[in-house]
Amino acid sequence: MSRALTWLNNLSRLAVKPYLRRMSGPKWARLQLNWGARFLFHPPPQTVAVWREIGGAHCLWVTNRAQTHPPREGAVLLYLHGGGYVAGSPNTHKHLLARLARLTQLEVCAPNYRKAPEHPFPAAFDDALAAFHALVGQGFLPENIVIGGDSAGGGLALALLAHLNAHGVVPKAVFAFSPFTDATFSGASIARNAAVDPMLPPERHDLITDWYLAGYPPTDPRVSPLFAPWVVPLPPVFLQASEHEILTDDSVRMADVLRAAGGEVTLDLWPNVPHVWVYFTRVLPEAKEALGRVAQFVNAQFVDEIDKR
């Protein structure tokens, strides 16, 4: 474990986790995430980020080193950011999107989906689905669209996949960082890792049940893809999570469900790292390595395609 990771875990335990435990509304969560992204998490050089609306979806389009390493023609990464359905935006994740763009040679499209409590369920899902359809309308074939996300956005990516799966649509691949896949909070890791998770307090499930779901059943696949009726064919899926976060079993059980349905799933579990540690790629060597593994997974899908020709 690097010194930077030790420092981050200690800071999370002392500041982030207590703050989330007593947070009474989304306002300060949004302000702090926006402030941190603006002043601490800058995108790498040669990043181009442009807001563009497609099919009613307001999206941030991100490329990196496009002049020397142009993105793959006809392919795109649809990325859904995290933030518990109440905070965050493509801007707060711009540094991560730029690094994904650089490592995968994909242009990234990140929709600014609506947030709760102003826009409760299923607003975020509807916006994610609209963004996917808008990409198809722009000429991107489903089999050339990679879908990714982190935390709530990772669950949203899998919920979008569940919807596409029910309609026989197969995207190129899907990956998720520490995805939230079960709004019933029935995973054993919720209790097992309550004390060791340096960032997320398990008692704050009201962020989802009260602010986002607002009376909808927590088993709805649009928020809990774990309970979707999965069928083949499925694209390759990569799930990455910490062994010591409260959402560990959201990834473990999701992998089991997809494999039982005939899917090909890579489950990448890491010890001693916090929730969505790839967000800290600027300071954590563990984040850089983890992000590299996901990029290798994505790139392999395109290499395999070339080999088949």
Side-chain angles (χ1 to χ4, degrees), residues 79 100 146-151 153-155 157-158 161 172-179 181 234-242 250-252 254-255 258-259 263-270 277-278 287 289-301:
Y79 192 88
L100 282 167
V146 177
I147 302 172
D150 65 277
S151 193
L158 291 161
L161 175 61
K172 184 70 170 177
V174 175
F175 67 86
F177 304 115
S178 299
T181 67
L234 286 161
V237 175
F238 189 104
L239 303 177
Q240 191 174 76
S242 169
D250 280 41
S251 289
V252 173
M254 192 76 246
L258 291 173
R259 287 168 180 160
E264 174 190 338
V265 183
T266 301
L267 178 61
D268 188 30
L269 297 179
W270 286 59
W277 70 100
V278 294
E289 182 182 348
L291 194 63
R293 292 186 187 183
V294 172
Q296 186 177 21
F297 161 79
V298 172
N299 291 329
Q301 312 311 314

Side-chain angles (χ1 to χ4, degrees), residues 71-82:
R72 303 176 194 273
E73 187 176 352
V76 67
L77 168 56
L78 174 62
Y79 192 88
L80 303 163
H81 69 83

Side-chain angles (χ1 to χ4, degrees), residues 185-196:
F185 297 91
S186 60
S189 60
I190 297 289
R192 183 180 71 245
N193 290 340
V196 296

Side-chain angles (χ1 to χ4, degrees), residues 206-224:
D206 61 316
L207 296 178
I208 301 295
T209 55
D210 295 347
W211 294 1
Y212 181 56
L213 281 176
Y216 276 86
T219 55
D220 192 307
R222 292 174 294 176
V223 69
S224 295

